[in-house]
Amino acid sequence: MNFRISFEEAIHPELVAELEKSVTYASAKLRSFRVTADGRGAEVECEQGARAEVTDKVGKLVGAMLRSFRSLGEPEEIARRTRRDSLPIESDAFAELEKRKWVRVLGRGQVSLAGGAYALRRFLDEAVRDVAKTRFSAEDEDHPALLDTEVLVRCGYFRSFPHSVCFASHFVEDFDAIESFRAANAESDTLAVPEPSALTHSDAVLRPAVCLPVYRELEGASLPPGGITITTSGKAFRYESRNMAGLKRLWDFSMREIVFVGSAEDVEGQRTRMIEAVTSLMDAWDLGGRLVAASDPFFATVRGAKALWQRSRAAKYEMMVEAGPEAIAAGSINFAGTLFGDAFGIRTNEGEIATTACVGFGLERLVLALFSQHGFARERWPGVLREVVFG
Amino acid sequence: MNFRISFEEAIHPELVAELEKSVTYASAKLRSFRVTADGRGAEVECEQGARAEVTDKVGKLVGAMLRSFRSLGEPEEIARRTRRDSLPIESDAFAELEKRKWVRVLGRGQVSLAGGAYALRRFLDEAVRDVAKTRFSAEDEDHPALLDTEVLVRCGYFRSFPHSVCFASHFVEDFDAIESFRAANAESDTLAVPEPSALTHSDAVLRPAVCLPVYRELEGASLPPGGITITTSGKAFRYESRNMAGLKRLWDFSMREIVFVGSAEDVEGQRTRMIEAVTSLMDAWDLGGRLVAASDPFFATVRGAKALWQRSRAAKYEMMVEAGPEAIAAGSINFAGTLFGDAFGIRTNEGEIATTACVGFGLERLVLALFSQHGFARERWPGVLREVVFG
């Protein structure tokens, strides 16, 4: 059923997109939600009979977001890059990738990569790894995709992003509970969970970013002079409800990060080199876009977390690149201040709490942006990528 | 508390190790369980006051395992390889890897890899990929680590391995439930889940093997003449309770697989080449061990699944390699018959249900076996790996 709700005050234009994305978590019975042009209401579609419940839950979510909102104005532009390739952006590169079987949707937010798309993702990952090793002397490491739940507790993640967390739940050791689950599923053609309480959620989560295990690994460490730089890559997981679509927003996605851990001077001293590294990669890949000081510093909708974030002098630059009709964030530089140093007791050589920053790339989003910007004709692609994608 | 239980009949020697491993799932209150030398009983340690409960649950599990057990005799040896390196096996390579910070334990069954250990894992992965591409003309692909729950339902996994499955659970869209979770965790320093029913387990699981998304991806396909071969690599997940230890048994581990899908003739015709590929890799890495026809064909303890497996003419060869005091399975060749072809409606070019087989390598186990067999002195390592590990 369709209906309209009104807001007491108009939604600030800066908040509209964020609100439309977040409201999906308000109720499983909500089907769509679009803020009206004047910002004073929204067109809502929900399951039959759920109007009262949906109105109530959406109202609470909108209220919470309005209370924590603070306009930051136009985001400051740090750098801008125009493509050499002057042909128009592909409006639906994902559809063409699907047609070639270079991507296949296997489930909600679950996409497999093959052919030119997978070859490109591998190449991009290696290219960033190479920059990390040669320009930042980073150590290359690999971590589990599972993360002790406690790691997220300690950095305040459950105060901020509970809606997107994925718990790795499993049966508690118990013959009777496991046997009754087995029996219930012996002949069933859908999953049956007769006793949800037999499952535990407490010991592990799926990491929502690949840098998090690095801070856990450095727990209690005293860093060498100059700090350390680590690069790592792999799958990260965020449940994004109805917002999951194509390669733009996956439940299970790939990231390469470069993580800087050291004194405030060490890490802030690298700031210019981090910006240069990101823009020089955009140049190598002929990727058009902007690096902007993000108006949405990590913990956007949560007042307490935002304050914490600001106290720790965090900042975020986002790499916004064109991919079809809109720009997407395919990379970022994140200054976390002493947030992680504090949470994990990491100290500099001088005994101060360590400062951290990271440069991260969303590899599937980069793949999508590059196919959007260079299409499917070999000659449009920059030389360094041509062979990789088309063989 | 410690006590002893007796069995009505002696445990067959072939079953002892499997039973000691499986019994850990019987009760969370069980601390240790060891079958006596004569097989007629077991020494048990459990939490104070839990003797009656533990005895009951362990008894049921032992009963179920005895009922489904069928002796297969000594496993048939397919191939055997002796190391050129004649120095003794390292008794605890993991401890030395930890000392060098080439491995670090981040949580239960969660180990990070760095330095020589990570470089070696990357190399092994690439070496198998190279064999897949050059000797089997395999396509290289990548899949999500999340898998639609339905995929496991369809291939009968929940009838067989419920104890080791990990569900990716997340909050159902609901403002009130998410908000109450957020509030409960705002000031808590451990995880609080006030309403477990607000979490869903039904939509996705973590893949227990990296080949499973391949069958899902080929759902309903008609294969080209000669069938197809795919290689893929990444993290897989099995909750192994108290059996998780070091690099030998991880919750979150890395696998490289080569998957064969075609007619029975196509796939069985490749059998000799698969065995050759595994033994030639062992040779390149100077890895001592045996390839044996496994006495434990996949669904070991479940009568129904075992029958299904046997009907579909499945077989399994395991690559057993020395790693410290015992041999571990670090690779396998699995003939699944028409099990997956049936479950996903995959047909050959002639319209028959497809047959599948896969060659899989457990990369962390290979890393452990190689450090166990060649130690930490550069000159003991085969030339092809020396540079990789020691730079």
Side-chain angles (χ1 to χ4, degrees), chain A residues 57 60 145 173-174 176 252, chain B residues 57 60 145 174 176 241 252:
Chain A
K57 295 189 180 193
K60 287 185 213 162
E173 293 78 357
D174 185 296
D176 298 317
D252 172 321
Chain B
K57 295 191 180 196
K60 288 185 215 164
D174 185 296
D176 298 317
S241 182
D252 172 321

Side-chain angles (χ1 to χ4, degrees), chain B residues 88 280 316 371-372:
Chain B
S280 75
K316 184 186 184 88
F371 280 106
S372 301

Side-chain angles (χ1 to χ4, degrees), chain B residues 232-268:
Chain B
T232 189
S233 176
K235 299 290 179 107
F237 303 81
R238 296 180 199 163
Y239 178 71
E240 305 250 19
S241 182
R242 283 178 291 264
N243 299 312
M244 297 190 283
L247 287 182
K248 217 168 78 177
R249 190 159 276 125
L250 293 163
W251 189 351
D252 172 321
F253 61 102
S254 308
M255 298 177 89
R256 163 68 71 176
E257 294 206 44
I258 314 172
V259 186
F260 301 85
V261 190
S263 67
E265 294 69 39
D266 291 336
V267 172
E268 278 158 23

Side-chain angles (χ1 to χ4, degrees), chain B residues 64-106:
Chain B
M65 287 194 75
L66 286 177
R67 277 194 301 280
S68 69
F69 176 71
R70 174 176 74 90
S71 168
L72 294 167
E74 263 302 286
E76 183 196 354
E77 187 173 289
I78 309 296
R80 174 193 290 264
R81 204 194 158 271
T82 309
R83 287 186 301 151
R84 292 182 294 273
D85 178 348
S86 58
L87 290 168
I89 303 272
E90 291 275 328
S91 62
D92 193 354
F94 189 77
E96 178 61 30
L97 287 168
E98 262 195 305
K99 203 184 292 170
R100 290 173 183 242
K101 298 195 175 169
W102 285 2
V103 302
R104 291 186 188 94
V105 177
L106 300 193

Side-chain angles (χ1 to χ4, degrees), chain A residues 25 156-167 239 302, chain B residues 170-171 177-179 181-183 185 199:
Chain A
Y25 294 103
Y157 205 88
F158 294 115
R159 277 197 298 271
S160 318
F161 302 111
H163 52 281
S164 66
V165 172
C166 288
F167 297 92
Y239 177 70
V302 183
Chain B
H170 60 84
F171 283 100
I178 296 173
E179 206 40 47
F181 174 83
R182 193 209 303 278
N185 286 280
L199 288 161

Side-chain angles (χ1 to χ4, degrees), chain B residues 62-293:
Chain B
V62 171
M65 287 194 75
L66 286 177
R67 277 194 301 280
S68 69
F69 176 71
R70 174 176 74 90
S71 168
L72 294 167
E74 263 302 286
E76 183 196 354
E77 187 173 289
I78 309 296
R80 174 193 290 264
R81 204 194 158 271
T82 309
R83 287 186 301 151
R84 292 182 294 273
D85 178 348
S86 58
L87 290 168
I89 303 272
E90 291 275 328
S91 62
D92 193 354
F94 189 77
E96 178 61 30
L97 287 168
E98 262 195 305
K99 203 184 292 170
R100 290 173 183 242
K101 298 195 175 169
W102 285 2
V103 302
R104 291 186 188 94
V105 177
L106 300 193
R108 293 180 69 204
Q110 298 155 35
V111 175
S112 70
L113 266 61
Y118 181 45
L120 179 59
R121 203 195 77 191
R122 274 176 68 94
F123 178 89
L124 299 173
D125 186 37
E126 290 296 313
V128 180
R129 177 178 185 261
D130 195 58
V131 164
K133 288 176 72 107
T134 57
R135 296 181 59 170
F136 296 101
S137 307
E139 291 290 325
D140 190 22
E141 294 187 355
D142 185 70
H143 307 103
L146 289 180
L147 196 64
D148 246 20
T149 303
E150 205 215 14
V151 173
L152 290 196
V153 170
R154 280 208 258 170
C155 51
Y157 206 88
F158 294 114
R159 277 197 298 272
S160 319
F161 302 110
H163 52 281
S164 66
V165 172
C166 287
F167 298 91
S169 63
H170 60 84
F171 283 100
V172 176
E173 293 78 357
D174 185 296
F175 182 82
D176 298 317
I178 296 173
E179 206 40 47
S180 89
F181 174 83
R182 193 209 303 278
N185 286 280
E187 303 302 326
S188 171
D189 50 9
T190 56
L191 178 73
V193 183
E195 257 183 88
S197 65
L199 288 161
T200 178
H201 319 285
S202 56
D203 40 350
V205 294
L206 287 160
R207 60 180 175 188
V210 300
C211 60
L212 291 164
V214 172
Y215 314 120
R216 164 66 185 81
E217 175 177 77
L218 293 174
E219 184 172 358
S222 264
L223 301 174
I228 58 165
T229 306
I230 289 168
T231 184
T232 189
S233 176
K235 299 290 179 107
F237 303 81
R238 296 180 199 163
Y239 178 71
E240 305 250 19
S241 182
R242 283 178 291 264
N243 299 312
M244 297 190 283
L247 287 182
K248 217 168 78 177
R249 190 159 276 125
L250 293 163
W251 189 351
D252 172 321
F253 61 102
S254 308
M255 298 177 89
R256 163 68 71 176
E257 294 206 44
I258 314 172
V259 186
F260 301 85
V261 190
S263 67
E265 294 69 39
D266 291 336
V267 172
E268 278 158 23
Q270 302 268 37
R271 186 181 297 249
T272 312
R273 297 182 62 219
M274 293 186 212
I275 296 171
E276 273 168 14
V278 172
T279 50
S280 75
L281 284 167
M282 289 173 75
D283 214 56
W285 304 332
D286 191 21
L287 192 59
R290 307 190 310 145
L291 197 62
V292 295

